[in-house]
Each structure stands twice: as C-alpha cells, then as structure tokens.
Amino acid sequence: MIVLITGASHTGKTALAQKLLEKYKYPYLSIDHLKMGLIRSGNTELTPMDDNKLTEYLWPIVREMVKTAIENRQNLIVGGCYIPFDWQKDFEQHYLEHIKYYCLVMSENYIRNHFADIKRYANVIENRLDDEWCKIESVLADNAETLELAQKYNVNYILIEDKYEINIDL
C-alpha cells in the first residue's frame, strides 16, 4: 500500500504521516527531505521558494519511487506539497489499485478561528528553522487554492472545518 499525503503548508501532512507510520509501521518519505537533499547537494539550481518548478522537478522522481515500491510489494507513506493534482494520469490501473491519496485542506473558518493553533503546532513533528513567513493571509490563500484544485481534479480531499481531527484507516 502506498499512501500519498498532500495539501497546503501547515495542514498537518507530516503529523498525519507520523501518525500512520506509528500505527501501521509503514516507512515514510518526506518529499521536503528529498527536495532539500537535491538542493543542498547542488543537483538542482532550484530554491525552496520555487514551488511550481519543484513539483515539475520532484514529481517524476517520486512517481518512479512509488512505482518501484508497488512492484516490490512494499508499503510506503509519501508526504509533501509537491504531488500534482493530476497525479493519477501517471499511473496505470494496476498501480492505482495500490495507492491511497489524501489532500488536507483547512476551511477559511477553521483558519480564522484557529490560526494561533496552526502556528503553535507547526513544530509538532519537525522543528522549522524559520516560520515567520507563515501569515494568516498566505495560509488562507494557499488553502483556498488547494481546495479549488482538489475540486477541479476531483481528488480525495479532507476538509478540516470545525476541529482538527483526522482518522484514516488503511
């Protein structure tokens, strides 16, 4: 089983991946770790701020890692914002049968009512070195765009509206 977890920044992708890792003992691949390894090693001139270009660069690598894991009958959780919304087009049906996809989206009301919590829990799994760029306006815009694209591409998304509680059974 492959579990893809995506969504806007600060929606809890890493926390959900950690929760699934602990429950199911599936290994976890952070696309952010792959991104930073490629950037720091000089294998790309892209920067952490090149989001759209990073998706184009990273997704073919991640996609083939997913295919390899399926072919090897391995379980894997893959988390990050660099999974395109049209990801399914890159897999034949026999691969799709082994993939579960979840896109995390926070509603406008949730963000407005819980922004202090969103900031407070940003470091629950990872220690962000610089999170000053995270402002309510950017979180609102990112989640609105993510919701629009999730609906446009008809992907499986989890809308966080009243309280932050995500329970997934694989």
Side-chain angles (χ1 to χ4, degrees), residues 92-110:
E92 296 169 13
Q93 185 59 37
H94 68 277
Y95 289 112
L96 291 172
E97 293 168 2
H98 300 277
I99 302 172
K100 291 196 176 202
Y101 171 97
Y102 301 95
C103 179
L104 305 183
V105 184
M106 293 176 175
S107 72
E108 179 179 346
N109 275 347
Y110 183 85

Side-chain angles (χ1 to χ4, degrees), residues 97-128:
E97 293 168 2
H98 300 277
I99 302 172
K100 291 196 176 202
Y101 171 97
Y102 301 95
C103 179
L104 305 183
V105 184
M106 293 176 175
S107 72
E108 179 179 346
N109 275 347
Y110 183 85
I111 295 165
R112 291 193 185 283
N113 292 328
H114 299 278
F115 186 69
D117 294 330
I118 293 167
K119 290 285 284 187
R120 183 171 45 254
Y121 290 112
N123 290 322
V124 70
I125 300 296
E126 59 190 346
N127 188 16
R128 297 172 187 255

